[in-house]
């Protein structure tokens, strides 16, 4: 439906606004009464367009876009200032060009095509919601349900194609996609629809998004019902056309509802208000959201023109010189005039901010209505049931959007909520959304035709033609799937040498195979082209080299500790010995004597504590505290040294001149790799090893022979291969070789599927289930039960040495204890030294005596030498000196008091 134009003429002194309506799709039962109601309400409202009456004239276009376009051009000849319509997105594209040329604002209440943008059509304005937001809502729903692939069924016109294109872009952002686009010709009959749905039903995806017109949409579900596509396992999602068709039914057809059971649909959300309730009460027939938008569109134009006239703006037109050049044509385009004030009226419309029956009417910077929102409906029983809402403010929610607008936007995955949905087949559990395609083609599985390590995968004479560890894991995972998977195993390779696994992956990408099953390593480059399952076995590159028994060394007793550990330990022995000597020197006669004897005592005491054989006794409290802590440290060090040395001398030590991948890179010797694996490319491309050094080896015999010959006799210095293969090699060689260094890559083996294959996800889940139930371990023991268990890696003597980092805490505690003991000791010495200094009264008397005797030599000031002398003096002597000083001080004070008393007696 399109409102063709708004023109103003003068008739009998009354200004009239003529509005003509052109029907292009069958929704007149809802929109036509809405236009008439809006016209009556505008004319009855004395505050809007005073003295001006609206009159609407309807004209049928017979659902023809061409007739609709020509009718619009005819209306434009009557000096149009604004237009409401069209309802069809296809016609809107054509009419918008006319509106742009003539500067006529074009308002559409039903053209939802997202490509009708303001950049290309600056005079086009949508009073309904943009399908861009509806496709975002559908994408969020698909992501919320966990589906990765959908099939789009759409009408093949601008409305359908452009809507599905936006849906595809939105799904790509969620790491999903449209796996197939099924286009329906406009007005297609049931036969054409049936042919389309039959081909769709043969595909893997069971999630269908239906974006069509109401005239053919219900036929899609009718045909799907007859084909058995409305049962368990199917998902049908319809855009807003379906709720519009259902809402327009009066009464609701029970047969139609039977066709739609379990369908999820999206409907434009308009908040409940008193205006909306009063508007619906005037309705007798079917009512849908487009009636609300149609009603508000008329009021929007009326309010905008009222504001235009209040600004004393006049309406003027001018001729378009480009249209006059076509005057020779029978089509009189020169009769079309340009509305000079069109841009001003458009700005007034864009600046409108009021509330209508469809809610707040306001436009954002891209000329879309603010706060787009949709209801999520689930057809159940006799009609649709609301299960939630969607808005670009909060995503999926069970709370009405307007209640969330006051809160900060939150569209996180954890915030998405919907009520329970009844799916087709009356099931409540969300369908998987994918099944193995029912097209009669079994899964083509490529299996490497290996000539070595056949326990992992190899050719077999019995069905299914292959055997091995990898095949058993794949078969066990297939058995856990809830649907049958017909499959054929196809050997890949000539059987004379191991095939190239990179070529195998490329053939999967090229659609020669559906999946590759075998000992296929998951690498970064391969994941760019195929989807791998969860790894079913850990892997990684290691270096294997010849080893020999290490000869015993006369200096083996030094190996338990690193050089740093020996140095710090020796330093602490001397340090603690010196501390104990300082603390004991004043108390213990064993720590006194000539300097030479004292130095010998320090060294002897220090190192004798290593064996707890020190003969000197500690008598001071601080000395005993330090010695206790130090003996505890020595005990720990001795025990650790003894344990490490015992291990070194009793366990057989193996050595190799190749220490790991680093030493192998620095050498120029040949390196053996397994033919066909990714190891060669990794060494060349990632580690920059010359390709001339790489020697491809066919099987285990070539491995052992090349290692035995060595590089001088045409062999190799070492072999680089994956850990699962090396485990087999070492056991088959009776443990004559070992891995050296560390595993320098971390990866695993997986099954390679084509990109975005849903089967890869289900298989990953099945592999995890096998692991949790212990089935993977059982399969591993069945095929890989080694006869000889070898220690995979030779011992690294440097890594087995005890370093300082294992004992620094002990040394720290000992150091802190020594520091605290020295602090207390020197504080006590200084305190004693201060007490031994002469008092101030003694100094004055000493000075008087010196002056009286005529001597110029006074008492010497305290010095560092005297302090050291106090430190060197025995504690008993210091105490005696302090005792004597206290006695002298007491006698001096008594004599001074007696002299003073005598003087007072002699005074007359």
């Amino acid at each position: 439906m399109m409102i063709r134009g708004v023109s103003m003429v003068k008739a009998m002194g009354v200004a009239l606004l003529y509005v003509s309506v052109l029907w292009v799709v069958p929704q007149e039962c809802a929109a036509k009464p809405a236009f008439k109601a809006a016209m009556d309400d505008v004319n009855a409202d004395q505050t809007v367009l005073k003295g001006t009456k609206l009159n609407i004239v309807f004209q049928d276009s017979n659902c023809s876009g061409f007739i609709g376009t020509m009718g619009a051009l005819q209306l434009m000849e009557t000096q149009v200032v604004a237009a409401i319509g069209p309802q069809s997105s296809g016609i809107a594209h054509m009419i918008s060009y006319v509106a742009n040329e003539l500067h006529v604002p074009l308002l559409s209440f039903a053209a939802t095509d997202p490509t009708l943008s303001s950049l290309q059509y600056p005079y086009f304005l949508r009073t309904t919601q943009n399908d861009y937001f509806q496709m975002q809502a559908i994408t969020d729903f698909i992501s919320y349900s966990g589906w990765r692939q959908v099939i789009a069924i759409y009408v093949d016109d601008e409305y359908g194609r452009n809507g599905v294109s936006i849906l595809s872009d939105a799904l790509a952002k969620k790491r999903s996609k449209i796996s197939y686009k099924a286009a329906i010709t406009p007005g297609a009959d049931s036969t054409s629809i049936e042919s389309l749905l039959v081909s769709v039903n043969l595909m893997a995806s069971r999630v269908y998004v239906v974006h069509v017109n109401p005239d053919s949409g219900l036929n899609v579900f009718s045909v799907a019902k007859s084909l058995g596509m409305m049962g368990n396992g199917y998902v049908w999602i319809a855009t807003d056309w379906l709720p519009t068709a259902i809402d327009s039914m009066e009464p609701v057809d029970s047969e139609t509802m039977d066709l739609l059971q379990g369908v999820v649909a999206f409907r434009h959300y308009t908040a409940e208000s008193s205006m909306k309730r009063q508007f619906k009460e005037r309705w007798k027939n079917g009512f849908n959201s487009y009636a609300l938008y149609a009603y508000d569109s008329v009021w929007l134009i009326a309010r905008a023109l009222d504001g235009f006239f209040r600004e004393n703006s006049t309406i003027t037109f001018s001729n378009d010189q480009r249209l006059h050049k076509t005057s020779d044509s029978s089509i009189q385009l020169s009769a079309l005039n340009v509305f000079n004030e069109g841009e001003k009226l458009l700005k007034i419309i864009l600046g409108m901010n009021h509330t209508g029956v469809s809610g707040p009417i306001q436009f954002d910077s891209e000329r879309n209505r603010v706060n787009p929102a949709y209801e999520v409906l689930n057809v159940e029983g006799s009609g649709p049931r609301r299960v939630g809402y969607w808005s670009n403010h909060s995503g999926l929610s069970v709370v009405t959007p307007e209640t969330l607008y006051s809160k900060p936007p939150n569209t996180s995955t954890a915030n998405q909520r919907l009520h329970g949905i009844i799916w087709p087949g009356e099931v409540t559990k969300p369908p998987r959304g994918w099944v193995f395609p029912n097209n009669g083609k079994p899964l083509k599985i490529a299996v490497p035709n290996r000539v070595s390590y056949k326990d992992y995968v190899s050719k077999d004479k019995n069905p299914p033609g292959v055997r091995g560890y990898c095949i058993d894991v794949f078969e066990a995972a297939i058995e856990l799937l809830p649907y049958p998977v017909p499959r054929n195993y196809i050997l890949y390779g000539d059987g004379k040498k191991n095939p190239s696994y990179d070529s195998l992956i490329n053939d999967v990408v090229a659609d020669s195979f559906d999946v590759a099953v075998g000992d296929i390593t998951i690498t970064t480059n391969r994941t760019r082209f195929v989807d791998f399952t969860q790894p079913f076995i850990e892997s990684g590159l290691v270096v294997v080299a010849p080893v020999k028994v290490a000869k015993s060394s006369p200096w083996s007793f030094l190996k338990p500790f690193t050089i740093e550990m020996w140095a710090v330990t020796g330093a602490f022995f001397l340090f603690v010995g010196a501390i104990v000597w300082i603390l004991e020197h004043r108390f213990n006669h064993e720590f006194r004597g000539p300097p030479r004897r004292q130095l010998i005592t320090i060294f002897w005491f220090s190192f004798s504590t290593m064996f707890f054989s020190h003969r000197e006794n500690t008598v001071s409290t601080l000395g005993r505290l330090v010695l206790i802590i130090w003996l505890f440290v020595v005990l720990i060090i001795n025990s650790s040294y003894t344990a490490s040395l015992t291990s070194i001398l009793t366990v057989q030590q193996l050595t190799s001149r190749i220490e790991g991948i680093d030493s192998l890179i620095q050498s120029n010797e040949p390196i053996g790799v397994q033919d066909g694996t990714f190891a060669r490319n990794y060494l060349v491309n990632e580690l920059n090893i010359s390709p001339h050094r790489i020697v491809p080896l066919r099987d285990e015999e070539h491995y052992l022979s090349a290692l035995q010959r060595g590089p001088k006799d045409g062999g190799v210095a070492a072999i680089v291969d994956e850990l699962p293969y090396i485990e087999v090699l070492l056991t088959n060689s009776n443990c004559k070789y070992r891995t050296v260094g560390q595993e320098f890559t971390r990866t695993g083996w997986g099954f390679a599927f084509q990109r975005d294959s849903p089967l890869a996800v289900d298989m990953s889940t099945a592999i995890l289930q096998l692991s949790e139930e212990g089935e993977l371990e059982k399969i591993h023991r069945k095929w890989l039960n080694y006869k000889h268990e070898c220690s995979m890696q030779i011992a690294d003597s440097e890594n087995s040495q005890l370093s300082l980092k294992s004992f620094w805490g002990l040394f720290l505690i000992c150091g802190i204890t020594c520091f605290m003991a020295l602090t207390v000791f020197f504080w006590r010495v200084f305190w004693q030294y201060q007490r031994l200094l002469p008092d101030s009264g003694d100094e004055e008397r000493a000075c008087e005596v010196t002056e009286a005797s005529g001597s110029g030599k006074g008492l010497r000031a305290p010095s560092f030498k005297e302090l050291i002398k106090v430190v060197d003096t025995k504690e008993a002597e210091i105490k005696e000196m302090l005792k004597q000083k206290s006695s002298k001080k007491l006698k001096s004070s008594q004599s001074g008091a007696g002299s003073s008393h005598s003087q007072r007696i002699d005074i007359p």
Side-chain angles (χ1 to χ4, degrees):
M1 179 171 61
M2 180 186 70
I3 297 180
R4 284 197 297 182
V6 180
S7 60
M8 188 173 72
V9 299
K10 293 289 184 178
M12 300 178 63
V14 179
L16 297 178
L17 289 177
Y18 284 100
V19 180
S20 298
V21 176
L22 181 66
W23 300 106
V24 293
V25 292
Q27 290 182 2
E28 62 275 13
C29 57
K32 187 174 182 179
F35 279 119
K36 292 182 178 180
M39 180 188 68
D40 295 340
D41 292 346
V42 170
N43 292 334
D45 193 334
Q46 298 300 317
T47 62
V48 181
L49 295 175
K50 296 180 180 179
T52 303
K53 299 294 182 182
L54 283 179
N55 185 30
I56 299 178
V57 180
F58 297 94
Q59 181 179 353
D60 192 355
S61 67
N62 294 321
C63 296
S64 171
F66 175 76
I67 295 176
T69 303
M70 297 307 297
L73 290 174
Q74 292 176 0
L75 284 178
M76 294 296 181
E77 295 178 357
T78 59
Q79 295 186 338
V80 174
V81 298
I84 301 178
Q87 184 168 318
S88 168
S89 296
I91 298 179
H93 281 275
M94 293 182 283
I95 302 300
S96 295
Y97 286 111
V98 180
N100 290 349
E101 187 69 25
L102 303 182
H103 296 182
V104 176
L106 177 63
L107 279 68
S108 176
F109 66 95
T112 57
D113 182 359
T115 61
L116 290 166
S117 65
S118 59
L119 295 177
Q120 185 178 7
Y121 307 112
Y123 282 87
F124 176 83
L125 188 63
R126 201 185 331 257
T127 58
T128 185
Q129 297 293 356
N130 191 337
D131 267 349
Y132 170 84
F133 300 107
Q134 181 172 208
M135 297 308 168
Q136 299 295 326
I138 294 175
T139 298
D140 286 349
F141 177 74
I142 293 172
S143 177
Y144 171 80
S145 302
W147 301 314
R148 298 290 299 277
Q149 295 187 17
V150 302
I151 293 178
I153 302 174
Y154 63 98
V155 61
D156 194 12
D157 59 9
E158 288 86 351
Y159 161 75
R161 287 192 300 270
N162 296 333
V164 169
S165 177
I166 296 299
L167 176 62
S168 179
D169 294 341
L171 288 172
K173 295 179 181 179
K174 298 285 188 177
R175 300 189 66 183
S176 300
K177 70 173 186 177
I178 297 177
S179 59
Y180 182 73
K181 296 180 180 180
I184 298 177
T185 304
D189 56 14
S190 297
T191 303
S192 300
I193 295 175
E194 181 178 0
S195 177
L196 180 68
L197 292 184
V198 168
S199 61
V200 164
N201 196 34
L202 296 176
M203 299 178 183
S205 178
R206 285 292 183 266
V207 182
Y208 306 122
V209 177
V210 184
H211 186 54
V212 296
N213 291 324
D215 56 346
S216 59
L218 293 178
N219 289 337
V220 172
F221 290 103
S222 177
V223 174
K225 181 79 171 181
S226 64
L227 295 175
M229 298 175 64
M230 297 298 297
N232 187 9
Y234 289 87
V235 177
W236 291 89
I237 304 172
T239 53
D240 65 286
W241 68 267
L242 181 58
T244 300
I246 295 175
D247 293 342
S248 300
M249 296 179 182
E250 188 63 35
V252 177
D253 186 5
S254 60
E255 294 183 0
T256 301
M257 290 299 101
D258 290 339
L259 297 176
L260 303 174
Q261 292 298 303
V263 175
V264 175
F266 288 77
R267 177 169 63 191
H268 296 124
Y269 173 73
T270 54
E272 294 296 328
S273 63
S274 58
M275 294 179 59
K276 181 179 177 181
R277 287 191 293 270
Q278 293 174 5
F279 181 72
K280 291 174 66 175
E281 290 174 357
R282 301 162 60 180
W283 230 254
K284 295 181 180 180
N285 298 323
F287 169 85
N288 59 51
S289 59
Y290 288 105
L292 302 177
Y293 296 127
Y295 181 87
D296 282 344
S297 297
V298 176
W299 268 101
L300 181 62
I301 284 291
R303 292 179 186 277
L305 288 173
D306 183 70
F308 180 84
F309 294 140
R310 288 178 184 275
E311 295 180 1
N312 297 321
S313 298
T314 58
I315 296 177
T316 60
F317 294 88
S318 61
N319 295 325
D320 191 336
Q321 298 299 324
R322 290 177 295 182
L323 296 178
H324 280 277
K325 295 179 181 180
T326 62
S327 57
D328 296 338
S329 173
S330 58
I331 302 176
Q332 300 298 320
L333 296 179
S334 58
L336 301 176
N337 297 313
V338 177
F339 178 32
N340 296 329
E341 289 76 26
E343 183 176 359
K344 182 177 181 180
L345 179 60
L346 179 64
K347 290 182 178 179
I348 293 176
I349 295 174
L350 292 174
M352 299 296 291
N353 185 5
H354 67 280
T355 301
V357 293
S358 62
I361 300 177
Q362 187 179 358
F363 300 95
D364 60 18
S365 59
E366 296 182 0
R367 301 185 181 182
N368 293 312
R369 287 191 62 166
V370 297
N371 299 330
Y374 290 86
E375 293 177 275
V376 185
L377 306 177
N378 178 213
V379 180
E380 176 192 0
S382 60
R385 173 178 60 93
R386 184 191 300 118
V387 295
Y389 306 88
W390 179 92
S391 69
N392 64 339
H393 183 83
S394 57
L396 298 172
S397 173
V398 294
V399 182
T400 55
E402 61 268 17
T403 61
L404 300 174
Y405 290 146
S406 59
K407 301 178 181 179
N410 186 358
T411 58
S412 63
T413 303
N415 193 51
Q416 307 301 289
R417 294 287 187 277
L418 285 178
H419 292 301
I421 296 176
I422 305 298
W423 303 97
E426 298 184 356
V427 296
T428 57
K429 183 180 179 180
R432 186 173 56 253
W434 181 90
V435 296
F436 193 81
N438 187 23
N439 54 12
K441 295 181 180 179
L443 201 67
K444 294 183 295 183
I445 304 174
V447 177
N449 190 6
R450 295 192 57 88
V451 297
S452 61
Y453 301 110
K454 293 186 177 182
D455 285 340
Y456 289 110
V457 61
S458 64
K459 180 180 178 181
D460 190 19
K461 296 180 180 180
N462 300 319
V466 289
R467 63 191 295 272
Y469 168 74
C470 300
I471 302 301
D472 280 8
V473 172
F474 185 79
E475 286 291 328
I478 286 288
E479 293 300 323
L480 294 178
L481 299 182
Y483 47 85
V485 180
R487 52 199 178 276
N488 286 335
Y489 291 98
I490 304 171
L491 288 171
Y492 187 85
D494 55 11
K496 298 179 180 179
K497 64 177 183 179
N498 293 331
S500 171
Y501 282 45
D502 287 337
S503 299
L504 175 59
I505 295 298
N506 291 335
D507 285 346
V508 174
V509 176
D511 201 23
S512 299
F513 303 101
D514 297 309
V515 58
V517 173
D519 49 337
I520 303 171
T521 305
I522 303 173
T523 65
T524 303
N525 186 59
R526 292 172 182 174
T527 56
R528 296 189 179 103
F529 308 105
V530 295
D531 282 347
F532 281 96
T533 62
Q534 174 78 15
F536 57 87
I537 188 173
E538 293 184 356
S539 180
L541 290 178
V542 294
V543 178
V544 178
V547 295
K548 59 182 179 179
V549 178
K551 295 181 180 180
S552 179
S553 171
W555 303 102
S556 298
F557 68 91
L558 295 176
K559 290 183 178 180
F561 288 164
T562 61
I563 296 177
E564 293 81 5
M565 182 63 182
W566 280 117
V568 172
T569 302
F572 256 82
F573 271 106
L574 296 176
F575 174 70
V576 172
I579 295 298
V580 172
W581 177 83
I582 293 174
L583 298 176
E584 291 291 318
H585 181 69
R586 303 181 67 199
F587 299 88
N588 196 336
H589 71 277
E590 294 182 356
F591 288 85
R592 301 185 65 84
R596 181 171 176 273
R597 178 185 173 185
Q598 295 183 46
L599 185 62
I600 294 174
T601 301
I602 292 175
F603 277 92
W604 168 255
F605 181 84
S606 298
F607 291 101
S608 62
T609 56
M610 181 187 302
F611 311 101
F612 306 98
S613 60
H614 50 285
R615 65 185 183 185
E616 293 83 5
N617 295 321
T618 52
V619 297
S620 66
T621 303
L622 295 176
R624 289 176 177 177
L625 174 64
V626 171
L627 184 60
I628 289 174
I629 299 298
W630 174 242
L631 290 179
F632 175 74
V633 174
V634 170
L635 176 64
I636 300 299
I637 293 176
N638 280 344
S639 301
S640 302
Y641 174 84
T642 303
S644 180
L645 183 61
T646 302
S647 175
I648 292 174
L649 297 180
T650 57
V651 178
Q652 185 184 52
Q653 301 295 312
L654 300 177
T655 62
S656 173
R657 60 188 186 86
I658 302 297
E659 299 178 355
I661 187 62
D662 293 332
S663 62
L664 195 60
I665 293 174
Q666 295 172 2
S667 69
N668 291 320
E669 296 178 326
I671 305 171
V673 298
Q674 183 181 172
D675 192 17
T677 62
F678 83 104
R680 182 186 186 280
N681 291 337
Y682 185 87
L683 295 178
V684 174
N685 299 330
E686 302 297 332
L687 303 182
N688 298 320
I689 295 177
S690 174
H692 301 290
R693 296 178 54 193
I694 308 301
V695 179
L697 302 174
R698 182 174 178 270
D699 52 27
E700 295 99 319
E701 294 182 1
H702 285 76
Y703 272 45
L704 300 176
S705 177
L707 286 173
Q708 187 175 4
R709 293 196 310 271
K712 294 182 179 180
D713 296 329
V716 296
I719 288 176
V720 175
D721 206 348
E722 295 181 72
L723 187 59
Y725 302 127
I726 297 304
E727 290 178 348
V728 178
L729 177 68
L730 295 184
T731 56
N732 291 342
S733 65
N734 293 326
C735 305
K736 291 181 180 180
Y737 307 97
R738 293 290 193 276
T739 61
V740 293
Q742 299 294 325
E743 185 178 352
F744 57 94
T745 64
R746 293 282 184 175
T747 181
W749 290 353
F751 305 128
F753 287 82
Q754 291 184 0
R755 198 70 168 170
D756 297 325
S757 171
L759 188 57
V761 178
D762 290 351
M763 287 294 289
S764 293
T765 304
I767 291 172
L768 289 175
Q769 184 176 345
L770 289 174
S771 178
E772 293 171 356
E773 295 175 354
E775 293 299 323
L776 278 183
E777 183 61 27
K778 293 180 181 179
I779 299 174
H780 189 278
R781 288 197 301 266
K782 171 186 174 182
W783 289 98
L784 307 173
N785 189 13
Y786 307 122
K787 298 179 181 178
H788 303 282
E789 290 293 339
C790 299
S791 175
M792 287 293 298
Q793 189 174 5
I794 64 174
D796 189 345
S797 59
E798 291 186 0
N799 291 336
S800 63
Q801 286 183 314
L802 298 175
S803 62
L804 182 61
K805 66 180 180 181
S806 301
F807 299 93
W808 70 268
L810 286 173
F811 290 126
L812 179 63
I813 294 173
C814 184
I816 293 175
T817 304
C818 293
F819 175 78
M820 293 174 61
L822 283 178
T823 302
V824 173
F825 173 78
F826 282 112
W827 175 83
R828 177 179 174 81
V829 169
F830 187 75
W831 174 75
Q832 292 175 342
Y833 175 70
Q834 291 290 331
R835 292 188 61 188
L836 289 174
L837 290 176
D839 294 336
S840 58
D842 295 339
E843 291 179 357
E844 291 177 358
R845 286 192 296 269
C847 290
E848 292 176 356
V849 173
T850 302
E851 291 177 357
S853 62
S855 174
K857 189 176 181 181
L859 187 67
R860 290 179 300 173
S863 64
F864 180 75
K865 183 176 180 180
E866 294 178 348
L867 178 61
I868 296 299
K869 186 177 181 180
V870 172
V871 173
D872 190 55
T873 305
K874 292 182 178 181
E875 181 71 15
E877 296 178 1
I878 293 295
K879 291 182 177 180
E880 183 64 25
M881 294 169 62
L882 290 174
K883 183 177 180 181
Q884 292 177 0
K885 182 178 180 182
S886 298
S887 300
K888 292 179 180 179
K889 186 176 181 181
L890 181 60
K891 293 179 180 180
S892 176
S893 60
Q894 291 176 352
S895 62
S899 173
S900 175
H901 179 70
S902 301
Q903 290 177 1
R904 284 196 300 270
I905 293 175
D906 294 338
I907 295 175

